[in-house]
């Protein structure tokens, strides 16, 4: 099973040179993938392309670029450029985003998100595959009067969606290659995510979808203190309806309850639980949990599990 790490999150964004060094360290530890959050600062796809060039043993991906405020033609250009730069190791993660960030940040209404996701993926799929599109929907139009295929952008960029609700999962299973759930524990993955997305993919004649579980976690000797930090760090998600739902479906009451915190044996056991629940890949995100010594311990363990 592939095991990876998030190198930039919405709360932790080191400089580019530092990020590259962290990626090289992750690769040396045996980790297989590095992921980058989209913020209002760095462009996640560009950062993934840079890191993928500097650390050629890593798969790289975005987790995740909101579809609101973007257009399939422009996202396709970004994704194909990153794919060509990394020689086929780029994974495009998309998201619905949130009402708050969409309306306050872009000044556009957060309306019909599932319909927008469906149209976005429908237009994007042929763009990354062939460089052409002729899509005219209710919410989006994407046509290519000029060629839009980037040389070397092969194989076609995998499309993943941070989908956790049933409607988003059905669209993702039908039109994308997998999902990127965050704060979805093994119970929610096994009972609510895998069945819905797998059925949708099968009905559409698509391969079994990837389930890339993003898991907050760290190996540490001071689990109690780190748990307190996690409670503060993840409280933001408890105000977002989609996360409220998946936290509850996971059998938890707070987001921090889903953080994997403890010694090597504890963390390894939890990673196995995600795999048994149906996760095809596990990606750890520390989000400021623990110190440097904890990060080294965590990456060492994850590298061993990846082997």
């Amino acid at each position: 099973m592939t095991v990876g790490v998030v190198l930039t999150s919405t709360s932790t964004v080191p400089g580019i040179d530092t990020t590259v060094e962290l990626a090289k360290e992750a690769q040396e530890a045996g980790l297989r993938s590095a992921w980058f959050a989209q913020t209002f600062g760095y462009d996640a796809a560009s950062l993934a392309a840079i890191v993928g060039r500097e650390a050629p043993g890593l798969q790289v991906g975005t987790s995740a670029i909101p579809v609101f405020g973007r257009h399939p033609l422009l996202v396709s250009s970004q994704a194909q450029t990153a794919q060509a730069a990394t020689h086929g190791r780029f994974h495009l993660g998309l998201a619905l985003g949130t009402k708050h960030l969409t309306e306050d940040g872009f000044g556009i209404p957060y309306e019909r998100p599932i319909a927008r996701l469906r149209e976005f993926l429908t237009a994007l799929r042929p763009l990354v595959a062939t460089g052409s599109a002729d899509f005219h929907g209710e919410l989006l139009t994407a046509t290519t009067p000029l060629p839009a295929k980037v040389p070397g952008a092969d194989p076609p960029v995998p499309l993943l969606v941070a989908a956790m609700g049933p409607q988003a999962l059905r669209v993702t299973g039908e039109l994308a290659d997998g999902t990127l759930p965050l704060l979805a524990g093994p119970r929610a993955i096994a009972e609510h995510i895998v069945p819905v997305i797998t059925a949708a993919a099968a009905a559409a004649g698509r391969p079994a979808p990837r389930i890339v579980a993003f898991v907050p976690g760290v190996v540490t000797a001071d689990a109690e203190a780190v748990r307190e930090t996690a409670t503060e760090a993840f409280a933001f998600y408890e105000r977002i309806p989609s996360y409220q739902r998946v936290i509850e479906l996971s059998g938890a009451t707070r987001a921090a309850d889903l953080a994997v915190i403890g010694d090597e044996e504890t963390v390894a056991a939890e990673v196995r639980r995600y795999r048994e629940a149906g996760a095809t890949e596990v990606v750890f995100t520390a989000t400021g949990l623990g110190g440097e010594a904890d990060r080294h311990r965590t990456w060492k363990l994850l590298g061993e599990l990846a082997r």
Side-chain angles (χ1 to χ4, degrees), residues 183-263:
L183 294 175
R187 175 174 152 187
I189 288 174
E191 297 179 6
H192 300 278
I193 290 177
V194 170
V196 174
I197 192 173
T198 301
R206 296 189 52 77
R210 292 165 57 187
I211 312 293
V212 187
F214 280 71
V215 181
V218 64
V219 177
T220 181
D222 195 354
E224 184 176 345
V226 173
R227 183 74 63 182
E228 291 180 4
T229 300
T231 299
E232 296 180 7
F234 297 122
F236 164 78
Y237 293 101
E238 296 166 8
R239 301 192 295 270
I240 301 173
S242 60
Y243 285 103
Q244 291 173 349
R245 177 181 178 276
V246 79
I247 290 168
E248 181 179 351
L249 292 175
S250 300
T253 56
R254 300 178 307 173
D257 295 338
L258 296 166
V260 177
I261 300 169
D263 60 16

Side-chain angles (χ1 to χ4, degrees), residues 20 49 59 80 114 116 119 185-186 197 251 307:
V20 168
Q59 303 286 319
Q80 289 189 74
I114 301 301
R116 181 170 293 274
E119 292 195 5
I197 192 173
R307 297 187 187 99

Side-chain angles (χ1 to χ4, degrees), residues 38 51 259:
Q38 180 63 54
V51 169

Side-chain angles (χ1 to χ4, degrees), residues 26 41 43 70 74 79 83 87 92 111 115 127 142 148 180 192 240 288 303:
D43 177 72
R70 273 87 179 174
L74 299 180
Q83 184 74 319
H87 303 292
L92 177 63
E111 296 175 348
L127 283 167
L180 307 166
H192 300 278
I240 301 173

Side-chain angles (χ1 to χ4, degrees), residues 61-81:
T62 60
S63 61
I65 297 174
V67 295
F68 280 90
R70 273 87 179 174
H71 191 279
L73 285 170
L74 299 180
V75 171
S76 172
S77 295
Q78 290 178 294
Q80 289 189 74
T81 301

Side-chain angles (χ1 to χ4, degrees), residues 3-183:
V3 180
V5 289
V6 172
L7 291 184
T8 69
S9 67
T10 54
S11 60
T12 305
V13 186
I16 291 178
D17 291 341
T18 299
T19 302
V20 168
E21 291 306 311
L22 286 170
K24 291 179 178 178
E25 183 181 331
Q27 180 179 331
E28 290 173 1
L31 291 160
R32 305 294 177 83
S33 64
W35 297 79
F36 307 88
Q38 180 63 54
T39 70
F40 286 107
Y42 289 130
D43 177 72
S46 299
L47 190 54
I50 293 169
V51 169
R53 294 283 286 189
E54 295 291 330
L58 284 178
Q59 303 286 319
V60 292
T62 60
S63 61
I65 297 174
V67 295
F68 280 90
R70 273 87 179 174
H71 191 279
L73 285 170
L74 299 180
V75 171
S76 172
S77 295
Q78 290 178 294
Q80 289 189 74
T81 301
Q83 184 74 319
T86 60
H87 303 292
R89 288 177 287 112
F90 178 71
H91 305 256
L92 177 63
L94 300 169
L96 292 174
T98 68
K99 179 180 177 68
H100 165 62
L101 294 177
T102 298
E103 296 188 349
D104 288 1
F106 291 99
I108 57 178
Y110 187 78
E111 296 175 348
R112 302 180 65 189
I114 301 301
R116 181 170 293 274
L117 175 64
R118 174 176 290 281
E119 292 195 5
F120 203 100
L121 289 171
T122 302
L124 184 60
R125 173 68 70 181
L127 283 167
V128 297
T130 68
S132 64
D134 186 17
F135 178 77
H136 302 267
E138 293 183 63
L139 305 173
L140 294 171
T141 294
T143 63
T144 47
L146 297 172
K149 182 63 176 174
V150 174
D154 295 303
V157 178
L159 304 182
L160 306 164
V161 180
M164 296 185 291
Q167 294 185 76
L169 284 167
R170 282 192 284 269
V171 172
T172 300
E174 178 184 345
L175 299 172
D177 301 301
T179 183
L180 307 166
L182 169 65
L183 294 175

